[in-house]
Amino acid sequence: MAVIALVSGKSSGVTCSALALALASPRPSLLVEADPAGGTVRAGYLAGEGSAAFGMHRLAAADRQSTLAREFAQHFVSLDRDHTGNRMLLPGLTDPSQAPSLARTWDQIATLLGVMDQSGYDVIIDAGRIIAESETRLSTTAYPTPMLRRADAVLLVVRTTQASITSAAPAVRILREELSHNGTGADALGLLLIEEGSFSSSNVQQELQTPVIGMLAWDPDTADVFTHGNYKRTPKALLRSARTALEGPINELVTRRRVQLRLAGVPAVAGRAS
């Protein structure tokens, strides 16, 4: 099982990519909408199903009342149409103005996600567009930085277009510095490419000097289902490529890093104290 955080330097399809990984996982999965700009899966893919009384925006109050650990799982909603419990969602903020209230809670949530990982779930974190406080540090008040610091893998979502590659370059620098100095190492960072443009994976890897860890098919029909809940269309190509990425290079990265950290005497990544 793994804790995988997806981020972007600019809007690059992070939410659709995270949703694809969560739905394609061969194991039970939990999709966490941690984007400070707010969550969209409940209103989009789930077509408004579920109550706004549940979700990330309620966790800050639970933390203040020392009930976060007890209430955490009560805020999950099902991503499965048949509600099997194998695909779960922690819905995101309903208003970006709620993000500052979570500044002291991100770390506690990261710890609880480690528990989900140990319980057999693949935890996929949609952290949205990065928010930095300097050229070398992510914000610790306006962004879920503790989740990235503890994740097994931090995947920067990049479209294979010149514009997306260009906007990703500053994010690579900031993420590499953050993970190197405050996380478990810069080797947690990789690229998750969306094959929209003409650049090859080797082109992008060379341009950003960061390994490509997975490739997702450019699949507008599935993106439409994920964004608008149009179930008349059957998601195919994107989910197949997401499954391939998870079972192959992403799993290899997670396994390799966990072995290396264990040999170095570092506690399990997701449960590591910050």
Side-chain angles (χ1 to χ4, degrees):
M1 290 19 83
V3 177
I4 303 161
L6 271 59
V7 301
S8 73
K10 198 172 182 179
S11 179
S12 296
V14 173
T15 298
C16 282
S17 300
L19 183 53
L21 292 180
L23 293 175
S25 173
R27 297 167 288 274
S29 62
L30 171 64
L31 173 59
V32 180
E33 285 193 288
D35 187 345
T40 60
V41 173
R42 180 160 48 194
Y45 178 68
L46 296 180
E49 289 185 7
S51 170
F54 302 99
M56 186 73 73
H57 60 294
R58 302 290 185 182
L59 299 185
D63 187 23
R64 290 193 297 271
Q65 297 164 10
S66 301
T67 59
L68 179 59
R70 184 171 71 247
E71 295 181 20
F72 187 59
Q74 297 174 14
H75 289 273
F76 300 169
V77 300
S78 179
L79 277 174
D80 283 328
R81 304 300 290 176
D82 53 5
H83 301 283
T84 62
N86 286 329
R87 302 278 181 264
M88 305 301 294
L89 167 72
L90 175 56
L93 300 175
T94 57
D95 187 325
S97 66
Q98 298 162 341
S101 69
L102 283 164
R104 55 162 279 179
T105 308
W106 293 125
D107 193 65
Q108 300 305 314
I109 296 173
T111 298
L112 293 169
L113 295 181
V115 175
M116 295 300 297
D117 162 47
Q118 294 162 15
S119 299
Y121 279 77
D122 276 338
V123 178
I124 312 297
I125 301 168
D126 171 6
R129 182 176 180 175
I130 65 168
I131 300 175
E133 61 185 27
S134 74
E135 292 184 355
T136 59
R137 285 184 64 92
L138 293 174
S139 173
T140 55
T141 56
Y143 194 69
T145 299
M147 295 186 188
L148 273 62
R149 291 175 176 174
R150 299 191 191 192
D152 292 297
V154 177
L155 303 182
L156 180 65
V157 179
V158 183
R159 300 175 189 266
T160 55
T161 63
Q162 186 62 65
S164 186
I165 295 168
T166 299
S167 68
V172 166
R173 181 184 65 249
I174 294 168
L175 289 165
R176 187 176 288 134
E177 288 293 317
E178 181 68 51
L179 295 172
S180 177
H181 292 96
N182 302 300
T184 56
D187 62 335
L189 179 62
L191 304 177
L192 182 63
L193 302 187
I194 299 175
E195 299 178 281
E196 178 184 1
S198 59
F199 286 81
S200 68
S201 61
S202 58
N203 290 152
V204 181
Q205 183 166 286
Q206 183 175 13
E207 184 79 17
L208 297 177
Q209 291 297 294
T210 304
V212 172
I213 303 301
M215 305 282 289
L216 298 181
W218 173 241
D219 184 356
D221 285 346
T222 299
D224 183 62
V225 173
F226 286 178
T227 303
H228 303 295
N230 184 356
Y231 292 102
K232 293 180 181 179
R233 295 177 176 176
T234 303
K236 291 183 179 179
L238 178 53
L239 288 178
R240 285 197 300 268
S241 61
R243 179 97 178 215
T244 298
L246 268 175
E247 292 186 321
I250 295 175
N251 181 64
E252 291 169 7
L253 173 64
V254 169
T255 301
R256 182 175 68 250
R257 296 200 73 247
R258 288 195 170 186
V259 170
Q260 291 172 342
L261 292 170
R262 191 177 299 118
L263 291 174
V266 179
V269 178
R272 178 177 177 269
S274 59

